[in-house]
Amino acid sequence: MSAPPSSSPLVLLLVTLVTLISYPFFAAAASPSLPPPRGMKILVLLDDIAVKSSHSLYFSSLSSRGYDLDFKLSDDPSASLRHYSHYLYDGLVLFCPSTERFGGSIDQAAILDFVDSGHDLIIAADVNASDLIKEIATECGVDFDEDPSAMVVDHLSHAVSEYEGDHTLIVANNFIQADIILGNKKIEAPVLFQGIGHSINPANSLVFKVLSASPAAYSANPNAKLSSPPSLSGSTISLVSVMQARNNARVLISGSLSMFSNRFFRSSVQQYGATIRHQKAGNEQFLTEISKWIFHERGHLQAVNVRHNKAGEVDEPAMYRINDDLEYSVEIYEWSGTSWEPYVANDVQVQFYMMSPYVLKTLSADKKGVFSTNFKVPDVYGVFQFKVEYQKLGYTGLSLSKQIPVRPFRHNEYERFIPTAYPYYGAAFSMMAGFFLFTFVHLYNK
Amino acid sequence: MMTSGSPAAGGSLRHAFGGVLSFFILVLIGVLAFSIRLFSVIKYESVIHEFDPYFNYRVTQFLTKKGIYDFWNWFDDRTWYPLGRVIGGTVYPGLTLTAGTMWWLANSLNIPLSVETVCVFTAPIFSAFASWAAYLLTKEVKGPGAGLTAAALLAMVPSYISRSVAGSYDNEAVAIFALVNTFYLYVKTLNTGSLFYATLNAISYFYMVCSWGGYTFIINLIPMHVLLCIVTGRYSSRLYIAYAPLVVLGTLLAALVPVVGFNAVMTSEHFASFLVFIILHVVALVHYIKGILSPRMFKVAVTLVLSVGIVLCFAAVAILIAVVAASPTKGWSGRSLSLLDPTYASKYIPIIASVSEHQPPTWPSYFMDINVLAFLVPAGIIACFLPLSDASSFAVLYIVTSVYFSGVMVRLMLVLAPAACIMSGIALSEAFGALTGSIKFQLLASSDPQDNAGDATPVSVLPENGKAKIDKAEETTKERGPSKKNKKKEKDVVEKASVSHRPENRRAEKKLRALPIESSVMGILLLVLLGAFYVIHCVWAAAEAYSAPSIVLTSRTHDGLHVFDDFREAYAWLSHNTEVDDKVASCYRRQQYLEQHTYCNCWYAMSSPEKAAWEIFNSLDVKYVFVIFGGLVGYPSDDINKFLWMVRIGGGVFPHIKEPDYLRDGNYRIDSMATPTMLNSLMYKLSYYRFVETDGKGFDRVRRTEIGKKNFKLTHFEEVFTTHHWMVRIYKLKTPRNRIRGKAKKSKSKATTSSGSTISPKTKKNPWQ
């Protein structure tokens, strides 16, 4: 599930050693010496070797960030994702929309296993995309238009181009509102897109549209007369979608291969009817930023050092007593692409949970990555859990739970003398004294 | 204890001889009681049986490791997940403390016994004690002869054996001893009027409260007897001594037991004792005043007190009724109410009724459990009325109430067993006494009527010997009877054979005993035969019926003995394949086997359809589900057969679960006529998943029918383990899908998509943590 190199024991040992040695020197640094979330080896499958050069800008942006790209033709008989249980790559780019069948040991199931074991995937489909590619996308929760020759057509927001009347080269600027996915810098120029559209099931919480079409768009064969209403239309059409699986594997699905091309990266863009002409399309910024997200350079959270203790103590107890005051803290770091930085947020909550949350408190962050709170254990005994369920758009999910029993009072932890019971104490003792006196009088009063 | 077996009016060598003989007989009875319970160890192995005993064993282990204070305060987070269980406050500690003390004692004497060994043998040891206590009690009621017979009967009564074989480490193991012992001390106090015995009685009652919830039987039976004595004009200072200290000390001591606590003064089960306590004092006061006033003055005082008292009484009763009516169960706990109204539990508290021990017994079970005693009991009751003493009236009350209670709840057969033994002991002893006496009388009459020095030992010892020595004793009677006679001494002995402190009309007795000698011999022979059948039945029951540890099952077929060790197979799998904190859901009282696992009882989840059940289990953090299934080998007490109870219990909590949905025309069935709700319930699915693969038809050998739905798949559960005989099946909850599929093309996947999307993504662990 984790990246292959880091899972080997030797590397783990090395990391541990480095951690141990470097700890005294860098103790003050906020970022912990955790391994990065992802490795750098990426397999790129192409169905035409020319794509390597026609899309070189995109690939060079990846390799300039340190990725080790391995280009293979999709029907290469030596292609393989795994060697026994060991995955050879950390990411996979499928720039082979027309491939009907992969070479080597790769097939649809192998790719899905690759994702299910926590690796990332970029899929670019295109007009006349093969059933194989569409089926992989479907498995990831994205439904391409079933008409094989359909394209996204937009008669309003298409790019001004030399071929008047070609409304399939559309400009899109309907981005997802999430800085964590698309970066802090606003994408000024619209993105050029030419390809097929897809839809996603709104009930599917794992997939979301990153770039959707304008309300005027529809999906149909541009060369044929539109006989029936298009199956996909309006802003339900998604041009680019991402899926974050429950194991945090990320998948990018695009309906266009050409939007990754050098031609689209370099081309200037002017929307039909608009006055401004952008010197450069937004494709490069958009796709570079989103590839950073896909390959976990952004939005990857890591929680470490879950601690809880009684107020005023340091050690973690094996069990709490009802009505104890306790402190809970967890350190959360975010991967910035180069190092782990303290995560800053004010919406992380902890539950003290036994069938339902008895305590729900927002953790306060100290800007150094430590999220902490303190609360009183409820007056209920049982087996509780500290639960942190943090699911935020664009971030990997955090799901921490730590079981802790809560016991009732011990027999000698109750109050010994209760003020309201003093009349009863008095009654008991006066009774004893009276009985003693009575015996004395009865025996000797003759 | 033994020496007290000798007749009080000792002195002569003969009485000393009788004492020594009864001592050895008692030792032998103890050995018998112990050894008849060892069949389970010899036939199987020295293991603890059943499920509750395992829990008790675990508690005892904890006690021996951590000490009594930690035991008292033990909060066990592994049972009753997720609520946990406060062990110290919810168990009766008597058994555990007893075994713990025995273990500690053995170890401090450098006898290195394991805790398990001590636990396995606790019940046989205490059954020997119980026999001796029965001897003492019966001796107080009807003399040592009846005592010895009763002890011998109790040592091997099947009803008691069923709950006290070696390895059956449950509360009842020590509680029956405590029960009989408390009754003995009560009767002893009643007979002697000694405050010493009264104190012992309170302590013995405390031990009983520590041991078993059945102590409420004592605290209701004794007041009933006291009331009976008062009503029948038998009030005496001895009665006061026997009762008042018991109530005061006993209630104080009972309140010290954490599981009882304030219940000792707050629940209605105990109110009778307080009411009788008050009545007793009023009666005592009346007696005192009667003593110091003249009869005329007394009459005036009575009318005065009565008129004022009635008014006060009405007020008190009104308050009491108001208080009781205010509480929801009218102050009685459900289990007690089901004793008063046998239909109560099945109507209102299915969880109590679901336990098979709480069902009314069938008639054959009486014959199985107490055998010939059932026929001897009426004779014993009659003997108790000839003459009626305080002690014998107590015995009668005991048998009458316990017969009623055993008729309500099969589990209380156990309370009936000692009473039946005591009654039968009295009956047998009296019968032997009468028969041997008449033989002697006839021989005496036939030989010359001159006064001879008679050795009357046979008469006095005969009943004590019990049936085992009857033949020999009969010979001695024939031999020695005519040789030496001493009328006076014989009369003494006869008197002793009956209740010692209650002289009778000797003439009448003699006439009563004047049976023809042939019929007397015949009667003795028949009684011996009856006793022999009883012994044979008891040994058979001990060896065959009640010794199987329910964790290992055996069956005999034409091709030999089959041993089903599936439970331990399954537990071994669990212990090797699951994590320490994994939760295993089982549906029926089987949570106590493995220490490192957390169990929970999810009654209602099992009756839901698969998906709803998955959500329930998931919210409880359950990872595995554990199902007992007997359909392949014909093991009847599996989960399907108990399923209806789960439905009832679940229906009590979640009204949408309705019992009629699971029944077709009022019949509980799993074949093709079963209701869809039944066929879709998780219990059905988990039990019969892949069952059709075994024989191609899916024939269930318990229900003797083909199952209704044969080929189906599980979507939210996966089978991880099934034992060799399919008796235990373990399923794992599937984690939610990593991806959610789109809906294109495969129209079939639509359903899974929509269902999948409602599954919360919580449970999937972040792989980088």
Side-chain angles (χ1 to χ4, degrees):
Chain A
M1 182 147 279
S2 68
S6 61
S7 67
S8 86
L10 193 75
V11 173
L12 211 72
L13 190 73
L14 209 71
V15 168
T16 322
L17 271 178
V18 168
T19 316
L20 284 176
I21 294 166
S22 61
Y23 188 71
F25 305 103
F26 301 104
S31 58
S33 312
L34 297 163
R38 283 290 191 274
M40 307 299 266
K41 260 186 94 62
I42 293 174
L43 174 67
V44 184
L45 289 181
L46 312 166
D47 50 12
D48 182 0
I49 201 72
V51 173
K52 188 179 171 183
S53 52
S54 66
H55 294 59
S56 62
L57 278 178
Y58 185 67
F59 295 133
S60 64
S61 89
L62 287 178
S63 49
S64 69
R65 299 209 306 272
Y67 290 103
D68 179 7
L69 302 181
D70 190 357
F71 294 93
K72 282 207 166 97
L73 280 176
S74 58
D75 52 359
D76 187 336
S78 69
S80 169
L81 284 173
R82 61 197 280 179
H83 184 67
Y84 296 108
S85 65
H86 173 71
Y87 280 95
L88 300 169
Y89 301 98
D90 307 298
L92 176 63
V93 178
L94 293 181
F95 276 2
C96 48
S98 58
T99 302
E100 296 288 350
R101 209 173 147 266
F102 292 111
S105 64
I106 302 179
D107 57 4
Q108 183 186 335
I111 289 172
L112 295 172
D113 281 346
F114 185 72
V115 173
D116 286 344
S117 52
H119 299 92
D120 306 319
L121 174 66
I122 292 178
I123 304 172
D126 215 332
V127 187
N128 298 322
S130 68
D131 284 348
L132 177 67
I133 296 294
K134 282 184 176 177
E135 188 56 35
I136 293 173
T138 305
E139 286 292 338
C140 294
V142 165
D143 301 314
F144 278 111
D145 195 336
E146 286 174 36
D147 184 354
S149 53
M151 289 179 86
V152 183
V153 181
D154 195 330
H155 296 303
L156 294 180
S157 47
H158 56 87
V160 176
S161 63
E162 49 268 44
Y163 314 107
E164 184 50 43
D166 178 12
H167 293 174
T168 59
L169 179 66
I170 59 174
V171 292
N173 52 8
N174 204 352
F175 301 113
I176 190 172
Q177 297 301 314
D179 286 353
I180 191 62
I181 296 176
L182 296 182
N184 296 327
K185 196 156 162 267
K186 193 171 181 300
I187 300 170
E188 297 289 344
V191 171
L192 283 171
F193 180 92
Q194 186 167 35
I196 56 176
H198 58 258
S199 67
I200 62 174
N201 183 356
N204 188 336
S205 58
L206 302 178
V207 181
F208 30 98
K209 292 187 271 196
V210 182
L211 183 63
S212 35
S214 77
Y218 64 93
S219 173
N221 184 352
N223 301 324
K225 200 163 185 288
L226 200 60
S227 55
S228 59
S231 56
L232 290 175
S233 65
S235 50
T236 56
I237 299 178
S238 175
L239 306 175
V240 178
S241 294
V242 292
M243 190 271 282
Q244 178 169 289
R246 291 203 166 97
N247 65 356
N248 293 330
R250 287 172 178 171
V251 177
L252 171 74
I253 297 144
S254 159
S256 162
L257 177 60
S258 51
M259 73 183 293
F260 294 89
S261 67
N262 295 353
R263 194 165 67 84
F264 278 36
F265 272 33
R266 290 204 184 110
S267 128
S268 60
V269 60
Q270 181 180 14
Q271 189 178 343
Y272 173 76
T275 50
I276 312 161
R277 184 171 187 89
H278 297 277
Q279 283 309 305
K280 200 157 169 283
N283 287 36
E284 182 167 14
Q285 191 190 352
F286 173 70
L287 291 170
T288 306
E289 290 298 327
I290 205 165
S291 75
K292 285 182 185 170
W293 184 81
I294 287 290
F295 291 123
H296 285 259
E297 286 174 47
R298 248 202 322 258
H300 191 100
L301 298 180
Q302 166 111 317
V304 288
N305 285 340
V306 179
R307 299 160 67 95
H308 55 87
N309 51 270
K310 275 187 200 163
E313 291 178 17
V314 181
D315 292 334
E316 185 175 300
M319 192 180 268
Y320 284 106
R321 196 191 66 190
I322 53 171
N323 295 332
D324 267 350
D325 286 305
L326 66 82
E327 290 165 353
Y328 177 87
S329 71
V330 57
E331 291 174 32
I332 303 178
Y333 297 99
E334 182 184 1
W335 179 250
S336 68
T338 49
S339 63
W340 290 97
E341 298 296 334
Y343 179 60
V344 181
N346 56 4
D347 52 1
V348 185
Q349 290 183 319
V350 65
Q351 304 172 30
F352 201 55
Y353 180 93
M354 180 176 74
M355 291 195 280
S356 58
Y358 278 73
V359 173
L360 179 61
K361 280 206 90 169
T362 305
L363 296 166
S364 52
D366 71 344
K367 313 281 178 202
K368 287 178 189 162
V370 182
F371 289 73
S372 62
T373 188
N374 54 339
F375 57 88
K376 198 190 227 352
V377 176
D379 196 0
V380 179
Y381 61 78
V383 183
F384 281 84
Q385 283 174 327
F386 290 109
K387 270 195 174 186
V388 174
E389 296 286 350
Y390 189 65
Q391 310 285 346
K392 195 173 177 182
L393 177 65
Y395 288 95
T396 55
L398 282 183
S399 174
L400 313 173
S401 72
K402 199 163 191 180
Q403 187 167 311
I404 187 86
V406 173
R407 65 170 173 85
F409 286 114
R410 284 174 68 90
H411 70 280
N412 54 1
E413 284 173 339
Y414 293 95
E415 282 172 280
R416 174 134 299 188
F417 295 106
I418 309 167
T420 45
Y422 272 100
Y424 298 98
Y425 305 144
F429 282 103
S430 64
M431 177 76 186
M432 282 189 244
F435 184 73
F436 181 75
L437 278 178
F438 170 76
T439 329
F440 197 79
V441 170
H442 186 73
L443 287 178
Y444 297 105
N445 187 21
K446 273 279 167 340
Chain B
M1 192 178 272
M2 301 305 116
T3 49
S4 67
S6 70
S12 74
L13 191 67
R14 206 178 54 247
H15 291 146
F17 179 65
V20 170
L21 200 57
S22 53
F23 172 81
F24 280 109
I25 291 167
L26 280 174
V27 169
L28 286 175
I29 286 173
V31 171
L32 170 69
F34 183 82
S35 51
I36 200 172
R37 287 165 168 82
L38 298 187
F39 279 108
S40 59
V41 173
I42 294 161
K43 287 179 72 177
Y44 300 92
E45 54 189 301
S46 178
V47 289
I48 289 173
H49 303 179
E50 302 209 36
F51 305 99
D52 282 356
Y54 259 91
F55 171 73
N56 293 331
Y57 167 54
R58 195 158 83 85
V59 174
T60 314
Q61 270 186 323
F62 186 88
L63 171 72
T64 52
K65 265 187 225 148
K66 299 279 178 70
I68 185 155
Y69 278 109
D70 278 338
F71 164 59
W72 184 2
N73 291 308
W74 184 21
F75 174 71
D76 184 10
D77 54 333
R78 305 237 166 249
T79 38
W80 294 1
Y81 179 85
L83 299 173
R85 182 174 180 185
V86 188
I87 300 288
T90 53
V91 295
Y92 286 96
L95 175 78
T96 317
L97 290 178
T98 309
T101 314
M102 275 161 46
W103 177 83
W104 173 82
L105 209 65
N107 271 38
S108 48
L109 293 174
N110 284 333
I111 307 170
L113 290 176
S114 69
V115 179
E116 192 183 2
T117 315
V118 173
C119 294
V120 165
F121 292 105
T122 300
I125 291 171
F126 270 79
S127 58
F129 291 167
S131 311
W132 294 333
Y135 163 75
L136 292 170
L137 173 59
T138 321
K139 198 186 89 174
E140 288 303 317
V141 175
K142 268 298 187 210
L148 285 174
T149 320
L153 292 175
L154 185 63
M156 48 190 176
V157 63
S159 169
Y160 186 26
I161 287 177
S162 74
R163 306 306 302 245
S164 65
V165 290
S168 170
Y169 180 57
D170 213 343
N171 287 337
E172 289 90 338
V174 297
I176 292 304
F177 159 71
L179 180 84
V180 179
N181 194 40
T182 310
F183 287 154
Y184 157 64
L185 285 165
Y186 170 70
V187 173
K188 182 80 180 171
T189 323
L190 200 57
N191 283 344
T192 58
S194 151
L195 204 52
F196 170 70
Y197 283 113
T199 316
L200 283 187
N201 189 19
I203 291 169
S204 172
Y205 172 66
F206 174 58
Y207 184 64
M208 177 70 194
V209 177
C210 282
S211 306
W212 199 32
Y215 76 92
T216 46
F217 180 60
I218 297 182
I219 204 62
N220 283 302
L221 180 62
I222 290 180
M224 272 168 77
H225 179 246
V226 171
L227 203 61
L228 184 77
C229 286
I230 291 171
V231 168
T232 54
R234 289 172 169 271
Y235 171 79
S236 64
S237 58
R238 288 180 286 108
L239 187 67
Y240 185 86
I241 296 289
Y243 186 66
L246 174 68
V247 170
V248 176
L249 287 178
T251 305
L252 275 176
L253 289 169
L256 294 180
V257 182
V259 63
V260 178
F262 281 109
N263 285 347
V265 286
M266 282 168 66
T267 57
S268 308
E269 283 96 336
H270 305 80
F271 283 173
S273 64
F274 300 132
L275 192 68
V276 171
F277 186 68
I278 295 166
I279 293 171
L280 186 70
H281 277 88
V282 171
V283 172
L285 188 71
V286 169
H287 273 255
Y288 176 70
I289 291 172
K290 203 174 183 177
I292 57 171
L293 290 182
S294 66
R296 211 177 61 83
M297 283 295 288
F298 181 69
K299 251 184 188 164
V300 174
V302 164
T303 42
L304 195 73
V305 167
L306 272 186
S307 48
V308 176
I310 283 172
V311 174
L312 285 177
C313 263
F314 271 116
V317 166
I319 291 170
L320 198 70
I321 287 173
V323 167
V324 168
S327 70
T329 60
K330 308 280 180 278
W332 287 72
S333 71
R335 217 177 271 193
S336 309
L337 272 179
S338 67
L339 281 179
L340 295 183
D341 173 11
T343 58
Y344 177 84
S346 56
K347 272 189 283 189
Y348 300 109
I349 328 172
I351 198 160
I352 288 182
S354 71
V355 182
S356 58
E357 293 175 332
H358 294 164
Q359 302 291 324
T362 52
W363 283 114
S365 71
Y366 277 96
F367 188 75
M368 175 72 192
D369 277 359
I370 57 176
N371 201 245
V372 301
L373 304 187
F375 311 112
L376 291 172
V377 163
I381 294 175
I382 291 168
C384 278
F385 279 98
L386 300 171
L388 190 69
S389 64
D390 288 350
S392 67
S393 67
F394 179 76
V396 171
L397 202 61
Y398 179 21
I399 184 80
V400 169
T401 47
S402 62
V403 163
Y404 170 72
F405 287 137
S406 72
V408 174
M409 228 184 240
V410 68
R411 180 168 132 114
L412 294 177
M413 287 289 271
L414 199 56
V415 176
L416 170 68
C421 288
I422 290 163
M423 279 301 162
S424 312
I426 292 170
L428 275 179
S429 163
E430 291 288 309
F432 277 126
L435 292 173
T436 51
S438 69
I439 289 172
K440 192 170 182 181
F441 182 77
Q442 294 288 349
L443 292 174
L444 191 81
S446 62
S447 65
D448 53 344
Q450 60 178 335
D451 288 4
N452 267 337
D455 183 3
T457 314
V459 180
S460 67
V461 173
L462 256 180
E464 298 172 2
N465 277 346
K467 57 228 156 285
K469 301 198 172 174
I470 284 297
D471 287 347
K472 205 183 109 201
E474 202 186 351
E475 279 176 34
T476 54
T477 319
K478 277 177 182 169
E479 282 168 17
R480 292 185 198 170
S483 60
K484 298 172 246 167
K485 275 145 204 135
N486 186 333
K487 235 179 188 172
K488 211 168 183 169
K489 288 222 165 180
E490 194 231 322
K491 275 173 191 165
D492 269 351
V493 170
V494 165
E495 199 181 305
K496 228 159 280 148
S498 64
V499 182
S500 54
H501 63 273
R502 204 152 287 276
E504 298 167 58
N505 188 335
R506 291 164 199 161
R507 285 280 148 211
E509 194 175 324
K510 257 189 198 160
K511 267 187 187 155
L512 195 74
R513 288 182 176 188
L515 288 168
I517 189 157
E518 296 79 13
S519 55
S520 301
V521 171
M522 210 56 196
I524 287 175
L525 276 174
L526 285 176
L527 283 182
V528 169
L529 207 63
L530 194 67
F533 276 126
Y534 175 71
V535 172
I536 289 166
H537 173 78
C538 289
V539 172
W540 172 82
E544 297 295 331
Y546 291 138
S547 281
S550 57
I551 53 166
V552 185
L553 302 165
T554 56
S555 80
R556 267 180 219 282
T557 55
H558 52 88
D559 52 343
L561 186 75
H562 292 273
V563 177
F564 301 124
D565 205 358
D566 283 33
F567 290 119
R568 288 197 288 185
E569 188 186 344
Y571 294 127
W573 185 89
L574 276 182
S575 66
H576 284 113
N577 291 285
T578 56
E579 302 281 324
V580 169
D581 276 339
D582 285 356
K583 283 95 189 164
V584 180
S586 78
C587 26
Y588 214 81
R589 284 170 50 105
R590 289 174 206 278
Q591 66 269 55
Q592 283 104 11
Y593 266 86
L594 287 179
E595 212 169 312
Q596 76 235 49
H597 292 284
T598 318
Y599 291 83
C600 68
N601 291 333
C602 315
W603 315 86
Y604 46 90
M606 281 294 180
S607 40
S608 314
E610 197 183 338
K611 187 173 151 259
W614 187 90
E615 281 164 14
I616 294 168
F617 281 137
N618 204 38
S619 74
L620 286 168
D621 238 2
V622 167
K623 274 201 181 157
Y624 295 92
V625 184
F626 187 99
V627 180
I628 310 287
F629 173 63
L632 187 70
V633 292
Y635 170 61
S637 59
D638 64 351
D639 284 343
I640 289 274
N641 272 5
K642 290 171 178 169
F643 180 56
L644 213 51
W645 290 113
M646 293 181 210
V647 171
R648 285 181 194 154
I649 294 160
V653 186
F654 299 93
H656 65 87
I657 300 174
K658 293 187 202 73
E659 192 180 333
D661 290 349
Y662 296 85
L663 302 174
R664 170 78 68 193
D665 304 329
N667 291 324
Y668 179 61
R669 55 199 306 169
I670 46 102
D671 55 9
S672 49
M673 292 292 288
T675 60
T677 323
M678 177 70 212
L679 294 180
N680 285 322
S681 70
L682 183 66
M683 174 52 76
Y684 180 88
K685 285 192 166 182
L686 294 191
S687 288
Y688 293 116
Y689 177 61
R690 292 203 306 116
F691 182 55
V692 72
E693 293 169 24
T694 53
D695 59 354
K697 285 191 313 215
F699 185 78
D700 185 323
R701 296 197 192 170
V702 177
R703 267 67 59 178
R704 304 204 168 277
T705 174
E706 260 182 57
I707 59 173
K709 198 164 146 189
K710 290 173 185 171
N711 297 303
F712 53 86
K713 281 185 183 158
L714 296 170
T715 42
H716 298 290
F717 294 85
E718 62 180 324
E719 180 186 8
V720 288
F721 188 68
T722 295
T723 55
H724 185 238
H725 301 285
W726 285 52
M727 279 169 57
V728 181
R729 315 195 68 188
I730 301 171
Y731 292 84
K732 190 177 183 178
L733 269 75
K734 283 187 186 165
T735 49
R737 281 154 205 265
N738 190 35
R739 294 166 283 108
I740 301 172
R741 221 180 157 275
K743 57 191 166 186
K745 284 183 187 168
K746 287 185 184 170
S747 57
K748 226 176 84 182
S749 67
K750 205 166 185 174
T752 55
T753 309
S754 57
S755 74
S757 62
T758 55
I759 296 166
S760 65
K762 284 178 193 173
T763 47
K764 191 70 196 180
K765 280 260 162 86
N766 188 334
W768 291 282
Q769 284 161 11

